[in-house]
Amino acid sequence: MRYLITFAMMLFLFPSTGAAGYKQEFEDEFLTKPWAGVQIEENLCISCHASEKMKPEFREITEAWQASWHAQNRISCENCHGGDPKDAAMSMSRQRGFVGSPQFQKVPEFCGKCHIGILSNFLESGHGKALKAGRKAPQCVTCHGSHNIQRASIDIITEQLCAKCHSYERAKLMKQALFLTEKKIAQLEKSLQELKREGVYPEADEKSLFSTQAEFRTLFHTVDVNLVKDRTGEFTARLDQIDKNIQATYRGLKFSKNFAAFLMLTFGGMGVVIFVMTRTKD
Amino acid sequence: MWTKIRQWIEVRIGLDSLIQTQVADFRIPKNTNILYTLGFLAVIAYATQAFTGIILMVYYVPHPDHAFKSIQDIMTKVPYGWLFREIHTVGGNLMIMIVMLHMLTVFLMGNYKQPRELTWLGGGLLLIITVAFGLSGYLLPWTQLSYWATTVVTSIPTAFPVIGDFVAQILRGGDRVADSTLSRFFALHVSILPPLFLLLTGMHLFFIYRTGISATPFGRRDDEKRPLSAYKRKTHPDGYPYYPVFFQKQMYMTMAYFTIMFFIIAFFPTLYFPEEANLPADPFKTPHDIRPAWYLLAPYQLLKLIPNKFFGVTLQMILVALLLFWPFLDTQKEKNVLKRPVLRGVFLFLLAMWIVLLFWGRT
Amino acid sequence: MKRRRFLKIILAFLGSVTFFSFFYSLLKFLTALPARTAEAKKLVVLKSEVPSGEAKNIVYQNAPAVLINRPDKGFAAFSRTCTHLGCLVDFSRTRQHFLCPCHAGIFDADGNVVSGPPPKPLTAIPLRIDGDSIIIG
């Protein structure tokens, strides 16, 4: 019996030695599947611009983008610059929508292709009007950078940046007006992260927080301190509502823990009692 | 009142004599230990899973657009939904542990030997079915973890030339993990595997009953002379009555099982929920490290180590075949593993390797 | 004997406590009813408030929503929450579509995604027409 089984298994093993030729073929196959770990990206823009042949400045662009928040959300070259990332010949073709890099004055419209609300607020602002009038003014890239764009935060507003054109006083007032609301937003974001780690996915609250925070930050681009101060109340109310929901969720989690601990004790108690019963002489 | 009910039942099925022969007079060998209750625990674990699983089905929706949300609703909106979901998740992992422990202890006590080879084979198949339960259930919450771990596992058959891709396509219902995958995994998990499991368990219990409980080789000489040439059910006239002695042992082990379960649920509720388990599946975003569940980490790590994937998968299948058919290969009479240094050595080596691979696979 | 009896009583007590805890939770689990929309405040809007080709922002069940009067298909109500990340969409009368100001998600007048990052159409809210009024919910 055992010889039969051993023989059958050897028969099975035999083909695997002959399959050595398949190794190369399907390792190639495998490497493009997530199974092997690293997925090979098929973005020709990156392949060229990151290669040794390019000037160091161009190579830096791809590195900068890799570190950005855009990259994390799968926004790549073609989403802003157009072109075809899969076809080498057409990768920088006007026919596929390639627009190259925008001129200084046209940057807001370039980013505003997607960030519409911010564009309209910016154009209404002192900064926007100055830019369109041809005077010295900031645009998106001035504060956010061009390729290594990170998540917006209140820390972008610094003396170093704003005092380039005028006194820091005005920017400081704005920062103060934003400060408390931003702090609350950061705190709520942290709580939501924690809740996710605890096994709850608070989708409605996440969306609500994102929309509140986005609207609030869009508002900032008007650089109108009074407007921000006026509307802070309404934003705080929305944030407080989200906070209430989060607190309720935390309370729910606490109840679950206590209930489960209670059940643990009852089962443990029963186990102990039965065990003692086995040791009790009749 | 109670005696009247008993009398009514007695007249119809002869319950009294049934209890007398099967429970009161059923003898367990004297030198059994607490590990003999693991089989019963596995059945209790299965019953828990089946019960909580059915309950969860009341609110779960097996479609990619709704699966994640339905489970989130179970966890947050449905009263005590979290309780049944956590029991099901923790219970599933505990059940696999118990089945593995049961197998290990049976192996160590040599209770797979003739005439109990079929019992062992049935048990081995039950282990595979239990792992299949775990695999199919893993996908159902449709989280990042579910989706990508399933992608990995269903890619493994592609290691085989010619039929590999075809098998992977059947498993997934297409080229990628998608709604067809969810449907078939759900069908597997709730309607194909349960009857298979119950059938095999029934056979497993039948074999145990028919051949008789095997005594451990420790402490006493095993007086079953091998090889056997005729059927003889092993009885233990000088053993303990099943009720109350052994029954009580089974009971407090059951209590221990649930105590451990609720300990984990109360104090480590996220033990089986890493971060990716709380994010909805995103077919376009692969998490940094996708790994299968702990019970598959050792085979997975082994697969990663062997450069030729086909050989790797084949080796695993051979190992599984070796495990299933071990009683047919090991025909030595000696049951006591302490008296078999070679076997003991090999076994400890394999066990150590499994544990090393498990931890290695975690990084 | 006394000890045994005592132990049995404790066991019975713990057993029943456990059993009833489970029974209670199971009962609550199975009888959980979804928010009874029948009794939720229904919103009533007059047809005249929303001319053809226009949309009106409303609040339904404490969440921002929009009621639109499509020239070809009549009235429809949607949640204003963009299915991408949750910003509120606005209706553009000139373009007859919904636009999300955060990442340029565009939904057509039926709530379906036309372009941009949103993964799903806008959540539709049921409504019915009763003479001159529209009852939302």
Side-chain angles (χ1 to χ4, degrees), chain A residues 27-68:
Chain A
E27 274 200 336
D28 285 337
E29 252 273 279
F30 256 28
L31 280 178
T32 55
K33 301 232 184 342
W35 200 67
V38 180
Q39 242 185 327
I40 294 178
E41 295 234 321
E42 271 228 84
N43 189 320
L44 292 171
C45 318
I46 308 274
S47 328
C48 281
H49 280 267
S51 79
E52 292 290 306
K53 298 194 191 133
M54 283 282 163
K55 288 192 272 192
E57 302 94 78
F58 280 150
R59 267 182 274 151
E60 274 160 21
I61 292 179
T62 52
E63 277 161 26
W65 170 80
Q66 297 277 19
S68 73

Side-chain angles (χ1 to χ4, degrees), chain A residues 1-3 5-6 9 12-13 15-17 19-20 22-23 26-27 29-30 33-35 37 39 72-74 193 195-203 249 252 255-261 263-272 274-275 277-279, chain B residues 68-69 72 75-76 80 82-83 148 151-153 155-156 158-162 165 245 248-249 251-252 255 258-259 262-263 265-267 269-270 273 275 278-280 282 284-286 290 300 303 307-311 314 317-318 321-322 325 328-329 331:
Chain A
M1 183 58 155
R2 73 185 101 158
Y3 293 123
I5 293 175
T6 324
M9 291 202 296
F12 195 25
L13 245 178
S16 76
T17 51
Y22 276 100
K23 182 178 173 190
F26 91 70
E27 274 200 336
E29 252 273 279
F30 256 28
K33 301 232 184 342
W35 200 67
Q39 242 185 327
Q72 289 235 8
N73 285 281
R74 297 186 311 269
Q193 277 299 107
L195 278 179
K196 272 200 255 194
R197 268 198 298 275
E198 296 289 321
V200 183
Y201 184 73
E203 190 181 11
T249 312
F255 172 75
S256 313
K257 176 178 172 158
N258 290 338
F259 191 74
L263 283 174
M264 178 193 88
L265 288 174
T266 56
F267 277 111
M270 283 197 280
V272 166
I274 298 177
F275 183 75
M277 275 170 93
T278 60
R279 295 275 182 271
Chain B
F68 184 81
K69 181 133 199 306
Q72 284 301 315
M75 291 292 281
T76 54
Y80 298 100
W82 58 270
L83 181 67
W148 292 104
T151 306
V152 167
V153 170
S155 305
I156 291 177
T158 56
F160 288 98
V162 182
D165 272 323
V245 183
Q248 279 173 336
K249 283 196 179 144
M251 284 301 111
Y252 73 66
M255 297 303 143
F258 284 113
T259 309
F262 285 106
F263 174 72
I265 295 178
F267 300 107
T270 54
F273 296 105
E275 213 184 314
N278 290 318
L279 299 170
D282 185 351
F284 299 107
K285 196 168 183 180
T286 315
I290 330 147
Y300 180 62
L303 221 46
N308 182 334
K309 307 289 191 258
F310 175 63
F311 186 53
T314 315
M317 291 183 63
I318 289 177
L322 262 174
F325 295 103
F328 301 100
L329 301 170
T331 48

Side-chain angles (χ1 to χ4, degrees), chain B residues 21 53 59 72 101 104 121 140 155 218-219 289 298 319 331:
Chain B
T21 50
Y59 290 107
Q72 284 301 315
L101 267 175
L104 273 179
L121 184 60
L140 301 184
S155 305
F218 309 123
D289 49 349
L319 288 172
T331 48

Side-chain angles (χ1 to χ4, degrees), chain B residues 58-59 77-81, chain C residues 25-35:
Chain B
V58 171
Y59 290 107
K77 293 214 183 90
V78 177
Y80 298 100
Chain C
S25 19
L26 190 60
L27 205 64
K28 297 282 299 188
F29 181 92
L30 293 173
T31 57
L33 294 166

Side-chain angles (χ1 to χ4, degrees), chain B residues 17-29:
Chain B
S17 52
L18 200 64
I19 292 179
Q20 197 62 32
T21 50
Q22 303 307 325
V23 179
D25 285 346
F26 192 84
R27 301 257 155 197
I28 309 287

